[in-house]
Amino acid sequence: MNFNKEKLPIIFETLKRHDVDAWMIMGRETIMNSEPVLPVLGDMSFIIATALVFTKEKCIAVVSPLDVDGYKMIDGIDEVHEYPGTMEETIAEVLNQLKPKKLALNINSADAAADGLTVGMYKSLEEDVFPHLEIKPEIVSSMPIVSEVRGRKTASQIEKIRVCTEKAEEYLMRVPEICHEGTTSIEIFNFLHEVAYNDGFGMSWADSQCPSVACDPEVKQGHSGIIDTPLKKGCTINIDYGVSKNGYCSDLQRMYYVLKDDEDDAPEEVKKAFYLVRDAINAAREFMKPGVTGFEVDQVARHMIVDEGFDSWNTALGHQVGHVTHDGGTILANRRPRYNKPELIDTPLQVGNVFTIEPGIEIAQGRIGIEEDVVITENGTEWLQKPQQELVLIRLK
């Protein structure tokens, strides 16, 4: 195992800023019972029950006798405590030495990325650790810590994400090559798999669901997997797609219009919706900078679209992306019940956050949805790939 030492300064700084004395990560067989933060910290997983405790200046590992020598070799871990009896006994000893007033655990109802502590392990803390502490700490959610540690991508991480966004864009622009009379969404789906796999990339989310290919407004798409549908003249094609490599991924949507036999361009109502979505993305990106909130960014794009007479779409404007497609932490969203939490939409955005921006409009010819990936910089934002500026017109051969 190795530790991503680029994350250590972020961890220590975040603990200090949030006045958290210790952050503890616990797990066992995490390849089966996922602890989402571990891959962010490095090439790490727990097999036998293990705990990492971060203070404002060091990292402590509590490990089994079988693992103690290996953990001592990991650069970035300052202390290794072997538990001769139970892990809980040694954790209690470590916490009694640290005497944290505020202890953060990976428990959170709003963010899966910060909810890795299992119920069973939390019960073991309640039953076998907390009763033996000399000073009872305040237990808080680690969500603000995880959000920053996961969300503040380093320069090397951003470049790996950029590779994935640029490749996904390249593959999506090749889709018209395979479109002819009788082509179906499954053929597009298989094509986008093939070109990525041939170049050594994987899909950004489950292979059975990535990409989503919507080419008939009467056939609704979602996260349930591809539905085999023929391309339909006079309708749009919306493709939601991303590729992954080296532990990072992308998430883009691109728009196409299938020309009728007597058309040389898309109808005005299709172009109006497309350009409005495009311009709303540009406006949101121009507004985004460190310190603004996801709610504020969402409102810029949402008002542009609603003010033109279209319905408000029933999703967020955007989410973080990078380690996985939906990367947790702050999001760009309005005050719908499932998003209306300060830690999600009222927390300031930070340098290094990578977001999608993806408003949508439903019209008779199909859904108009463009999705771009951007990174927040000191001065604003930067595209991670070439943004879509024009509809891709397809004439079936």
Side-chain angles (χ1 to χ4, degrees):
M1 292 194 298
N2 63 67
F3 200 93
N4 183 356
K5 292 180 65 180
E6 289 182 308
K7 292 296 184 182
L8 284 172
I10 297 175
I11 294 172
F12 299 145
E13 175 194 334
T14 305
L15 288 173
K16 290 173 184 174
R17 187 154 22 84
H18 290 279
D19 194 26
V20 172
D21 301 296
W23 171 35
M24 184 160 63
I25 304 166
M26 293 175 60
R28 62 180 183 274
E29 300 293 351
T30 55
I31 197 166
M32 176 171 54
N33 246 345
S34 171
E35 170 42 84
V37 80
L38 287 180
V40 178
L41 299 180
D43 179 19
M44 305 191 77
S45 63
F46 296 157
I47 300 176
I48 302 173
T50 303
L52 294 177
V53 182
F54 292 93
T55 71
K56 295 173 182 176
E57 57 276 322
K58 64 182 176 180
C59 174
I60 302 167
V62 178
V63 303
S64 74
L66 184 64
D67 295 335
V68 64
D69 291 333
Y71 271 82
K72 286 180 178 179
M73 296 173 64
I74 298 176
D75 191 14
I77 295 180
D78 302 289
E79 296 179 16
V80 179
H81 293 254
E82 172 187 344
Y83 56 82
T86 68
M87 178 180 67
E88 289 79 7
E89 290 171 338
T90 304
I91 287 175
E93 293 172 4
V94 169
L95 293 180
N96 276 328
Q97 292 171 12
L98 296 175
K99 296 179 172 55
K101 295 179 181 178
K102 190 178 290 186
L103 173 65
L105 300 175
N106 291 354
I107 48 176
N108 192 269
S109 61
D111 186 7
D115 198 33
L117 184 63
T118 66
V119 172
M121 299 218 82
Y122 183 76
K123 286 177 66 69
S124 75
L125 290 175
E126 284 190 314
E127 295 170 2
D128 301 317
V129 174
F130 297 156
H132 303 288
L133 298 184
E134 297 163 6
I135 299 175
K136 301 297 188 288
E138 176 189 357
I139 305 300
V140 298
S141 170
S142 66
M143 194 272 184
I145 301 165
V146 173
S147 180
E148 293 199 31
V149 172
R150 190 179 191 98
R152 290 168 59 184
K153 272 68 172 183
T154 64
S156 62
Q157 290 176 319
I158 290 167
E159 287 312 304
K160 290 176 181 177
I161 299 168
R162 190 191 305 275
V163 168
C164 294
T165 62
E166 290 178 345
K167 274 297 178 183
E169 164 71 13
E170 174 188 326
Y171 301 147
L172 284 163
M173 290 300 100
R174 291 182 56 190
V175 165
E177 297 174 14
I178 66 161
C179 294
H180 51 77
E181 295 281 356
T183 296
T184 71
S185 57
I186 283 287
E187 291 177 75
I188 295 174
F189 177 92
N190 290 337
F191 170 78
L192 289 172
H193 275 207
E194 181 181 1
V195 291
Y197 296 152
N198 286 345
D199 283 348
F201 289 83
M203 296 297 102
S204 286
W205 54 98
D207 285 13
S208 63
Q209 299 177 20
C210 179
S212 166
V213 183
C215 54
D216 184 336
E218 296 180 3
V219 180
K220 299 301 182 184
Q221 298 289 326
H223 295 108
S224 59
I226 191 72
I227 300 171
D228 194 13
T229 313
L231 302 189
K232 191 172 181 180
K233 295 176 183 178
C235 291
T236 62
I237 305 173
N238 171 261
I239 303 178
D240 190 352
Y241 177 62
V243 299
S244 62
K245 194 170 190 177
N246 297 324
Y248 297 89
C249 67
S250 58
D251 187 10
L252 302 178
Q253 290 179 53
R254 291 292 177 258
M255 286 304 309
Y256 315 76
Y257 177 76
V258 182
L259 294 165
K260 295 179 181 179
D261 293 338
D262 60 350
E263 289 179 324
D264 293 316
D265 197 0
E268 286 304 314
E269 60 267 29
V270 174
K271 291 192 291 184
K272 176 185 176 182
F274 174 85
Y275 289 132
L276 182 56
V277 167
R278 181 199 66 180
D279 293 347
I281 290 172
N282 288 331
R285 186 190 74 84
E286 289 174 2
F287 179 81
M288 289 175 76
K289 62 183 178 180
V292 304
T293 68
F295 172 73
E296 291 171 330
V297 177
D298 176 279
Q299 294 302 287
V300 170
R302 200 170 296 269
H303 281 304
M304 279 187 65
I305 289 173
V306 172
D307 288 351
E308 289 295 321
F310 294 101
D311 292 337
S312 176
W313 62 96
N314 188 28
T315 59
L317 173 66
H319 55 81
Q320 293 194 52
V321 62
H323 301 286
V324 294
T325 314
H326 293 164
D327 217 16
T330 50
I331 59 175
L332 317 177
N334 63 352
R335 298 202 181 279
R336 293 181 187 274
R338 69 178 182 269
Y339 303 134
N340 195 17
K341 295 179 173 61
E343 62 270 31
L344 294 181
I345 63 173
D346 294 322
T347 299
L349 310 183
Q350 296 180 308
V351 172
N353 290 164
V354 176
F355 278 98
T356 68
I357 310 178
E358 47 178 310
I361 292 175
E362 299 286 345
I363 60 174
Q365 293 86 350
R367 182 178 185 274
I368 302 293
I370 310 170
E371 183 173 14
E372 308 290 2
D373 293 347
V374 301
V375 59
I376 297 180
T377 66
E378 294 282 355
N379 300 316
T381 60
E382 177 185 317
W383 300 113
L384 287 177
Q385 74 297 310
K386 183 180 178 181
Q388 183 174 10
Q389 298 297 321
E390 301 291 338
L391 266 172
V392 177
L393 302 178
I394 296 175
R395 187 175 298 281
L396 301 182
K397 308 175 185 67

